[in-house]
Amino acid sequence: MKYEVDQHGFYGDFGGAFIPEILFPNIRELRDNYLGIMESASFQEEFNALLKHYAGRPSPLYYAERLSERYGTRIYLKREDLNHTGSHKLNNVIGQILIAQRLGKKRIIAETGAGQHGVATATVCARMGLPCIVYMGEKDVERQAPNVKRMHMLGAEVRPVLSGSRTLKDATNEAIRDWIQHVDDTYYVIGSVVGPHPYPDMVARLQAVISAEMKEQLPAATGRDYPDSIIACVGGGSNAAGAYYHYLDHPGVALIAAEAAGYGVHSGKTAATSFIGSKGVLHASMTLLMQDADGQVTEPHSISAGLDYPGIGPLHAHLITTGRLKSFPVTDKEAVRAAYELSRLEGIIPALETAHALAVLEKHSFSPDEVVVINLSGRGDKDLETFSQFNESNGGHG
Ligand SMILES: *Cc1c(COP(=O)(O)O)cnc(C)c1O
């Protein structure tokens, strides 16, 4: 089985670039140049220097002693929460903006739902002195006020989108409209392993630094060359793709995904695409998505904004349908419980998204000598309000 993207941008049956003809010049320019740029010495040097001195990499691979004791196995946390801006998202944005500069682009656009990708993009644009425009549904602008303030402070322009349901999907449409109108000078930064080829492959390669570091850190930390399992949460799937990347071709390493089940897989209020999704085109890519009988995309639900997405990236659709990746559904409640547990056992408050990955420990048992790596995708400061509200209305966890 092959897990690399082919020359048409497919992972098996999934992927490709289902774009309107008018977008073809934009996509072609990126497709023809991204690999050459990423392999160039100048890119490698600048990317690695920024990851080290600006993002704060390498992130530690931390042995979670008390959590390990609790679950009777050896648990290591890959600390992406310690990156500048608090998650793995910065790795991708640094890389894409360096690519944009090498394509001669002078203006950066992005769309954001919860605002995390918008903040990461605004951050790197400030560092590089590039103008940044972030499209955001008007409803999200209201719901995510702190992130809007962050983007403003960083000098970005946030453009509220008033069309449709005034959320992420409408912001995406508006960003694409902008891109079509400014093909010569504008670069569009996508925040996960989704969208038309070459974005999923490009973002996976940029996030692959996570598993590249794991490969270096594991022998000293564990005395082993390979872990037995790697667990990551999947929204679009970029932190998971980065954590799995260098282990895809090692069948001895079990790859495990946590999907947001919301109120439950069959509750009608869920984002568990790998369980109830079917094949179709979402964001210009053939993948698994949640849709009704007429092919209309179903509104997802998750307590976690970063996992509240009706699809998964095409790489993950391929990994799941071929059996390489095993997915577990995690409800809102299970995720919140896991977040309290990590906070109390290890003194680490995880992001709500990340808490879904931690909750897999309750659902699958690992033997005492197994090495389990959990990708700790982000920190939970942004979610404190949600944690405490949920906790109170559910009778408390602590
Ligand atoms: C955005 C986000 C996610 C989900 O995005 P992926 O592309 O699936 O990684 C997960 N964790 C954190 C902390 C996030 O900010």
Side-chain angles (χ1 to χ4, degrees), residues 76 214-215 218 222 224-230 243 247 250 252-255 370-373:
Y76 292 82
M214 277 159 50
K215 280 197 105 163
L218 264 165
T222 68
R224 302 253 304 270
D225 285 338
Y226 293 97
D228 294 292
S229 301
I230 302 171
Y247 300 102
H250 296 273
V253 181
L255 305 180
E370 275 186 74
V371 169
V372 180
V373 176

Side-chain angles (χ1 to χ4, degrees), residues 13 20 58 66 75 77 112 135 173 181 190 208 219 221 241 343 358 373:
D13 293 340
R66 299 220 311 139
I75 301 168
L77 305 176
T112 197
Y135 289 93
N173 292 339
Q181 285 164 1
I190 293 184
S343 303
L358 294 158
V373 176

Side-chain angles (χ1 to χ4, degrees), residues 246-286:
H246 290 286
Y247 300 102
L248 289 170
D249 295 324
H250 296 273
V253 181
L255 305 180
I256 296 173
E259 272 248 81
Y263 287 37
V265 171
H266 300 291
S267 65
K269 295 199 72 168
T270 186
T273 308
S274 56
F275 297 92
I276 62 164
S278 54
K279 213 173 152 184
V281 173
L282 181 68
H283 293 171
S285 171
M286 179 63 73

Side-chain angles (χ1 to χ4, degrees), residues 87-89 116 192 233-239 306-307 351 353-354 377-378:
S87 81
H88 67 291
K89 284 196 168 72
Q116 297 301 112
S192 189
C233 64
V234 172
S238 67
N239 87 85
L307 304 184
E353 292 83 4
T354 315
S377 58

